[in-house]
């Protein structure tokens, strides 16, 4: 089973700041990585597919990069509606696995 | 319009089984895999298994093998997830989600079904 390690586990940012989350896979997964945002009490929402492809209707302040084992997710100019928990998910091998999550708060 | 409608919350005793339904739009049911992902309170999501749009047997995470069965009813465009031998650690919100394949992203999710085991 591929382990996905996310960091940090939580962060607090001021409105308009840029924030970066990293995700490391326990083995090479190519670009088979997705990113989701989850708000409290709701299902996750797809933001990024295949490491860097923005999902349908997702604002351009969100971006992703990386390949192999190391990946980065960035929000440029964080907005109040961006609070929530962010997860990476690999789909190279079954079982599909998620990172531990990064809780994002606004100062 | 993509719709994934799940059945309501369940309360079960340890050792019992639970069967959760996920009714999809016809397009989703006939063209996409339906996956099951659960999330225990305060925990990260956990993929459990999936079934293809052509039917057949499901594909399951090893840790649930022997306890999980995913089936489809084409007459109602509904997918079912049956989990047996429940224990307290199975208390979670169970989501169905669609994806274009078994190895995939999830672009639409159901609202979730809370299963409490105690």
């Amino acid at each position: 089973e591929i382990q996905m390690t996310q960091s940090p586990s939580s962060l607090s940012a001021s409105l308009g700041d840029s924030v970066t989350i990293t995700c490391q896979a326990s083995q090479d997964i190519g670009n088979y990585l997705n990113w989701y945002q989850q708000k409290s009490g709701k299902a996750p929402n797809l933001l990024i597919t295949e490491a860097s492809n923005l999902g349908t209707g997702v604002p351009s302040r969100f971006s992703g990069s990386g390949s192999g084992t190391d990946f980065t997710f960035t929000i440029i100019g964080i907005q109040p509606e961006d609070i929530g928990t962010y997860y990476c998910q690999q789909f190279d091998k079954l079982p599909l696995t998620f990172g531990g999550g990064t809780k994002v708060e606004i100062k | 319009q993509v719709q994934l409608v799940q059945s309501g919350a369940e309360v079960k005793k340890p050792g019992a089984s639970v069967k959760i339904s996920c009714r999809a739009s016809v397009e989703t049911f006939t063209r996409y895999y339906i996956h099951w992902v659960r999330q225990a309170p305060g925990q990260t999501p956990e993929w459990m298994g999936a079934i293809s749009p052509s039917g057949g047997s499901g594909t399951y995470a090893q840790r649930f093998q022997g306890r999980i069965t995913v089936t489809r009813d084409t007459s109602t465009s509904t997918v079912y997830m049956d989990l047996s031998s429940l224990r307290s650690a199975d208390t979670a919100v169970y989501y169905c989600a669609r994806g274009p394949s078994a190895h995939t992203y999830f672009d639409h999710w159901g609202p979730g079904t809370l299963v409490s085991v105690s």
Side-chain angles (χ1 to χ4, degrees):
Chain A
E1 177 171 320
I2 297 175
Q3 307 297 322
M4 306 301 294
T5 303
Q6 260 184 262
S7 62
S9 57
S10 65
L11 64 88
S12 183
S14 299
L15 287 177
D17 279 355
S18 293
V19 302
T20 297
I21 298 168
T22 63
C23 181
Q24 185 170 61
S26 60
Q27 64 187 73
D28 190 334
I29 60 170
N31 68 337
Y32 295 144
L33 186 97
N34 307 314
W35 290 95
Y36 300 84
Q37 175 196 59
Q38 185 175 33
K39 295 183 181 279
S40 181
K42 301 293 187 182
N45 180 49
L46 179 67
L47 298 178
I48 303 268
T49 66
E50 293 180 282
S52 60
N53 296 332
L54 211 57
T56 304
V58 176
S60 59
R61 64 179 180 274
F62 297 103
S63 65
S65 64
S67 67
T69 60
D70 296 301
F71 301 85
T72 300
F73 172 82
T74 301
I75 309 172
I76 296 179
I78 196 167
Q79 300 297 304
E81 59 267 30
D82 298 337
I83 61 169
T85 302
Y86 292 79
Y87 296 98
C88 60
Q89 174 242 325
Q90 68 80 21
F91 61 102
D92 182 44
K93 297 277 194 304
L94 296 181
L96 310 179
T97 49
F98 291 80
T102 297
K103 186 173 184 178
V104 174
E105 298 174 326
I106 303 291
K107 286 180 186 172
Chain B
Q1 182 183 354
V2 179
Q3 268 192 313
L4 293 169
V5 180
Q6 295 186 228
S7 49
E10 303 264 10
V11 179
K12 295 292 182 182
K13 297 286 187 190
S17 297
V18 68
K19 190 169 187 174
I20 304 168
S21 67
C22 174
R23 181 167 50 85
S25 62
V26 172
E27 184 203 6
T28 290
F29 187 80
T30 57
R31 294 179 58 189
Y32 290 85
Y33 280 67
I34 298 295
H35 294 255
W36 289 91
V37 177
R38 76 177 186 180
Q39 190 170 29
Q43 301 300 309
T44 195
E46 179 177 31
W47 181 80
M48 301 178 71
I51 193 163
S52 79
S54 60
S57 60
T59 300
Y60 307 126
Q62 182 69 31
R63 64 175 298 175
F64 297 105
Q65 288 279 1
R67 287 211 297 146
I68 187 174
T69 306
V70 178
T71 55
R72 288 159 45 98
D73 181 345
T74 56
S75 67
T76 60
S77 299
T78 301
V79 175
Y80 296 92
M81 190 283 293
D82 199 322
L83 187 65
S84 63
S85 302
L86 291 170
R87 38 223 188 215
S88 58
D90 293 316
T91 293
V93 175
Y94 290 74
Y95 295 100
C96 61
R98 82 168 196 183
S101 66
H103 295 240
T104 191
Y105 53 81
F106 310 116
D107 64 352
H108 287 277
W109 297 63
T113 296
L114 175 62
V115 176
S116 300
V117 183
S118 66

